[in-house]
Amino acid sequence: MTESATGTTPTQGSETREFSAEVGRLLDLVVHSLYSEREIFLRELVANAADATDRRRFEALTDGARALPEDAKIRINPEKDARLLTISDDGAGMSKEELVSNLGTIAKSGTRAFGQKLEDAKPEDRPNLIGQFGVGFYAAFMVADKVDVVSRRAGSDDAWRWTSDGKGSYTLEPATREKAGTDITLHIKEDADEFLDSWRLEAIIRKWSDHIAWPVTIIKDGKEEAANEGTALWRKPRSEITEDQLNEFYRHLTHNFDTPWDTLHWRAEGTIEFSALLFIPGSRPFEFAEQTRESRLRLHVRRMFITDEADILPTWLRFVQGVVDTEDLPLNVSREMLQATPVLARIRKAVTGKVMGELKTRAKDEEAYAAFWENFGPVLKEGMWDDPAHRTEVAALSRFRSSAVDGLTSLDAYISRMKPEQDAIYYLTGDNAETLAASPQIEGFKARGVEVLLLSDAVDSFWPERLGTYEGKALRNVAQGQTDLEKFGAPAESDAEKADMDTLVPALKTALGDTVSDIRATDRLVNSAMVLTAPEGGPDLQLQKLMQRSGQSLPSVTPVLELNPAHPIVHHLAALVKAGKPVDALAHILLDVASIQNGEAPKDVNAFSRRLMDYLAGGVETDSTAEPAKD
């Protein structure tokens, strides 16, 4: 029978399932677009086997029925006469449902994105996209016209066979396997004879997978021979490791295919001993923002993988990838025990301190550091919100866009440019720096030569309140409450005639009612007529927007409407009031335009549109009784 991969299936017997159209298209891309470096398939299958063995080792910590055999390894068996190549492991294995989930779909991180990247990439870059998008298994179809997978889940007696020719469907049927683990058998294509040669296979393993901790063997003339050195790279002295080995280990570990921006390799000795090999990626990983916030550094004990959930680094350093290996923990330590052990607490402190020290050193090269900041700055800034112990350190490492300089600047550099009478670091939050640079909120500051930091990441609406001050200077949001621009004198435009605000403000308050909490003249504006601000002590408008987008709510805060007394529009409104003419509709237009300036749609788009059309037609001044349009 044939059915979709998501449909209900019988529990016994053979069944055939169709790949989705998108998956079929991607299989075609993998097979044909990656043709130039087909050896990559073996790297991916061996890496998957190693991961499965690691997983079983971890599961066995809490379930003895899943214990690894003492001679656990990855075996590669080429059979020239039968044109078969089998990669076997003693890992966790897969149940029927896991076979469907793991092999019946491609690229959980986004099939459409993978396909686009593959089509756009240069031919020499295409093999590097496989692991990055989670499609490594399917590289097998570059050299095989059919693939059989027989797998038995550790702790289960049932085994299942998955078979496909990569042309639109796959079959599932019960199978037998003496022990838990997985056999992947490739029916090698006529033009791929080289991958049935044991010497060629060994050369590929040495090139791509020599660092795999599990033994990899190749069957030659009926005998198993070691194919990898199997050394833990992180335990070697740095002088014995080549740059190529480091880069390949980084790529295997992270599934990224760039080169790391920085590599940290050291051995700690003293009260605790551990080896560490850490990487800061050179580019932002695919869908990094959607990943969990926990650090995923791998914890090993005496070279054996234990867990990647030990939270060795704080969440705001989760972009750091790598391995920490210690002798000071028992091999059978559980995750619950890990969280309580003082040994791990000391390792965490030491590793965090090492990473922070490295960032401080690298930050001295502003150009190189800017590349890192563009990739991971928004994550690092979370430390100013999350971590009181490192808040000031993270602040010193942070970089920002500014109204006064091109590129990025630090808080220390900002302070060095402050005016003598300035006692605060001014900032404005929003959705992007370009929009903030043109915001009415900072016109008065720019006119007086006062620098404003332009903060456009989501976390920027939160951390300034927690940080509070930096080097004795308060952080102050220019869109919140009254400005203190009077201490900086008046800009050149200040000699312009001012409208009669004493007459205008009461009329506007009557017209707008409780849609605003206050209306007042301001010195923050130069070229704009009006701006919306948050009341003193209330959450700024950007924070309110962020909370609404995330489905959360803050106590309702009504904005303040501030007016530029020198602007022609404000003069026009004041003249209308003085002449006894209605300004209700114009007042609402003014408020709606201020909302648009702030990145928000008018509360009643239909009413705004009608009022604006009436004004353009010349009818607003005499239309004081019209009701707002209904949705």
Side-chain angles (χ1 to χ4, degrees):
M1 66 185 165
T2 300
E3 53 188 46
S4 70
T6 57
T8 303
T9 61
T11 57
Q12 300 294 330
S14 175
E15 56 193 81
T16 300
R17 302 189 179 199
E18 299 292 331
F19 290 122
S20 69
E22 188 177 34
V23 170
R25 168 63 178 147
L26 286 177
L27 271 169
D28 184 68
L29 285 171
V30 168
V31 173
H32 296 101
S33 297
L34 302 177
Y35 191 86
S36 60
E37 283 204 47
R38 294 193 294 178
E39 70 179 40
I40 222 81
F41 84 92
L42 189 58
R43 177 196 72 186
E44 294 301 314
L45 295 182
V46 169
N48 289 348
D51 288 344
T53 311
D54 281 340
R55 188 164 62 252
R56 183 172 175 183
R57 171 71 184 82
F58 177 63
E59 291 174 352
L61 295 177
T62 55
D63 185 353
R66 300 184 182 186
L68 274 167
E70 291 185 3
D71 62 344
K73 66 183 73 171
I74 299 165
R75 295 169 296 279
I76 300 173
N77 183 18
E79 301 175 70
K80 283 189 176 182
D81 293 341
R83 304 193 61 78
L84 300 176
L85 177 65
T86 302
I87 296 92
S88 302
D89 66 65
D90 299 305
M94 290 176 279
S95 65
K96 177 185 177 184
E97 292 74 19
E98 288 170 325
L99 282 168
V100 172
S101 175
N102 295 333
L103 306 186
T105 60
I106 285 182
K108 294 179 181 178
S109 57
T111 55
R112 192 181 308 278
F114 171 73
Q116 190 61 52
K117 285 277 190 179
L118 194 58
E119 290 181 326
D120 294 344
K122 296 177 182 178
E124 62 269 23
D125 295 333
R126 285 170 176 168
N128 293 340
L129 294 172
I130 301 175
Q132 184 177 1
F133 283 82
V135 295
F137 168 78
Y138 299 94
F141 288 104
M142 292 192 291
V143 300
D145 47 30
K146 187 172 78 169
V147 176
D148 294 321
V149 179
V150 175
S151 194
R152 174 178 164 183
R153 190 71 169 92
S156 169
D157 295 330
D158 296 330
W160 287 87
R161 181 188 303 275
W162 180 100
T163 303
S164 178
D165 59 6
K167 296 179 180 178
S169 65
Y170 60 93
T171 62
L172 284 168
E173 60 185 348
T176 58
R177 194 178 195 274
E178 184 179 350
K179 298 178 181 179
T182 300
D183 301 317
I184 300 177
T185 300
L186 283 62
H187 298 251
I188 298 298
K189 294 179 178 179
E190 293 293 334
D191 64 349
D193 284 350
E194 61 180 298
F195 301 113
L196 293 169
D197 186 321
S198 59
W199 300 105
R200 173 76 170 106
L201 296 172
E202 183 177 356
I204 296 171
I205 295 299
R206 294 285 185 187
K207 175 181 178 181
W208 294 108
S209 306
D210 203 39
H211 56 271
I212 295 289
W214 298 103
V216 180
T217 63
I218 297 177
I219 297 177
K220 300 178 183 178
D221 301 323
K223 298 180 180 180
E224 286 190 33
E225 295 186 11
N228 70 323
E229 187 175 343
T231 57
L233 203 65
W234 54 89
R235 285 186 171 238
K236 283 188 171 184
R238 179 65 180 88
S239 59
E240 296 180 10
I241 307 174
T242 67
E243 204 65 28
D244 286 344
Q245 286 176 312
L246 283 173
N247 289 339
E248 181 49 40
F249 180 68
Y250 161 77
R251 291 164 181 167
H252 163 73
L253 188 74
T254 66
H255 298 300
N256 294 345
F257 289 89
D258 55 355
T259 56
W261 179 77
D262 199 2
T263 300
L264 292 79
H265 183 205
W266 80 101
R267 177 167 179 79
E269 296 179 335
T271 56
I272 55 168
E273 295 188 1
F274 64 87
S275 300
L277 179 54
L278 310 182
F279 303 97
I280 298 176
S283 61
R284 191 178 179 89
F286 183 69
E287 287 196 353
F288 176 69
E290 283 69 44
Q291 296 173 4
T292 62
R293 291 189 71 236
E294 288 73 28
S295 166
R296 289 295 186 183
L297 283 189
R298 294 168 61 95
L299 176 65
H300 290 237
V301 175
R302 300 166 205 165
R303 292 182 46 182
M304 299 297 291
F305 172 71
I306 299 298
T307 182
D308 62 358
E309 298 181 350
D311 300 329
I312 296 173
L313 284 174
T315 60
W316 46 272
L317 289 175
R318 62 185 177 275
F319 50 83
V320 180
Q321 304 286 314
V323 172
V324 174
D325 187 359
T326 182
E327 303 275 346
D328 295 335
L329 289 168
L331 275 171
N332 62 348
V333 65
S334 68
R335 188 170 187 271
E336 291 71 21
M337 291 170 60
L338 277 173
Q339 305 313 310
T341 177
V343 171
L344 189 60
R346 290 196 290 269
I347 290 175
R348 285 181 181 133
K349 183 177 180 180
V351 174
T352 300
K354 186 75 172 182
V355 173
M356 291 298 286
E358 182 70 6
L359 288 177
K360 290 174 186 176
T361 299
R362 294 298 306 271
K364 296 174 183 177
D365 182 345
E366 290 292 348
E367 183 176 350
Y369 191 69
F372 157 78
W373 188 259
E374 291 298 331
N375 289 325
F376 303 111
V379 177
L380 184 62
K381 280 191 290 188
E382 292 175 12
M384 290 186 282
W385 170 261
D386 282 342
D387 197 333
H390 294 92
R391 188 167 288 151
T392 303
E393 282 184 283
V394 174
L397 287 169
S398 295
R399 298 294 183 265
F400 312 94
R401 301 291 174 184
S402 164
S403 65
V405 297
D406 294 330
L408 298 170
T409 188
S410 66
L411 292 178
D412 290 307
Y414 177 101
I415 290 173
S416 72
R417 295 188 293 269
M418 285 173 56
K419 288 180 168 294
E421 65 273 29
Q422 187 176 346
D423 60 4
I425 297 170
Y426 296 104
Y427 69 92
L428 179 64
T429 61
D431 291 330
N432 66 77
E434 290 74 18
T435 300
L436 292 175
S439 172
Q441 302 277 11
I442 66 172
E443 289 177 357
F445 290 87
K446 292 170 67 176
R448 293 167 173 83
V450 179
E451 185 173 357
V452 180
L453 298 178
L454 311 175
L455 311 184
S456 56
D457 295 315
V459 71
D460 291 330
S461 290
F462 301 92
W463 66 259
E465 180 184 352
R466 287 280 177 90
L467 183 61
T469 63
Y470 182 79
E471 296 295 327
K473 307 295 183 183
L475 276 78
R476 192 164 299 160
N477 189 339
V478 301
Q480 197 168 16
Q482 295 273 22
T483 67
D484 46 10
L485 286 174
E486 63 276 358
K487 71 173 66 174
F488 304 111
E493 297 85 347
S494 62
D495 57 355
E497 183 182 354
K498 305 294 193 297
D500 181 1
M501 302 302 288
D502 291 339
T503 302
L504 175 60
V505 168
L508 293 180
K509 286 184 176 180
T510 300
L512 296 177
D514 60 5
T515 58
V516 293
S517 61
D518 194 12
I519 301 173
R520 63 194 179 209
T522 185
D523 56 0
R524 80 169 77 229
L525 298 173
V526 176
N527 300 314
S528 300
M530 64 283 172
V531 68
L532 286 177
T533 65
E536 198 78 44
D540 71 76
L541 304 184
Q542 176 66 11
L543 177 57
Q544 294 179 54
K545 286 197 298 182
L546 286 172
M547 299 299 282
Q548 289 169 0
R549 289 174 188 170
S550 64
Q552 303 179 57
S553 61
L554 289 169
S556 180
V557 177
T558 307
V560 175
L561 178 64
E562 296 191 348
L563 303 174
N564 178 1
H567 198 279
I569 288 178
V570 178
H571 275 285
H572 176 59
L573 284 167
L576 289 177
V577 173
K578 189 174 182 179
K581 294 184 177 180
V583 293
D584 291 34
L586 272 176
H588 282 281
I589 291 176
L590 204 68
L591 178 61
D592 287 338
V593 172
S595 295
I596 294 170
Q597 286 180 168
N598 199 48
E600 292 290 316
K603 289 186 177 180
D604 189 334
V605 176
N606 292 328
F608 169 66
S609 176
R610 181 187 58 77
R611 290 186 185 112
L612 186 60
M613 292 302 100
D614 285 348
Y615 177 74
L616 294 175
V620 165
E621 292 182 11
T622 59
D623 185 6
S624 62
T625 60
E627 293 294 324
K630 305 296 184 183
D631 289 334

